Amino acid sequence: MALIDCSNCGAQISDKSGTCIHCGTPIPPKKVMKPCPECSTMVEENVYECPECG
Ligand SMILES: [Zn+2]
Ligand SMILES: [Zn+2]
């Protein structure tokens, strides 16, 4: 679990809570990134095709 800043009010909230407990702004879950083995571009873990080198 990690704390992230609400983009609307700046409050620190859990990245798993889904919405800001202060203002109700929806917070997208943090994406897990991994480096591409070919070009080292950071791509989402569930994306198998690198947007940079394919
Ligand atoms: Zn907020
Ligand atoms: Zn790549």
Side-chain angles (χ1 to χ4, degrees):
M1 192 191 88
L3 289 175
I4 53 176
D5 293 331
C6 170
S7 57
N8 186 51
C9 72
Q12 289 220 310
I13 52 172
S14 165
D15 62 353
K16 288 194 169 64
S17 64
T19 49
C20 176
I21 56 174
H22 294 275
C23 69
T25 297
I27 307 295
K30 203 174 186 180
K31 291 167 183 149
V32 180
M33 307 291 278
K34 65 170 179 113
C36 170
E38 298 293 328
C39 69
S40 296
T41 296
M42 295 302 282
V43 293
E44 286 175 47
E45 192 178 53
N46 58 356
V47 174
Y48 294 102
E49 197 165 276
C50 174
E52 289 296 318
C53 68

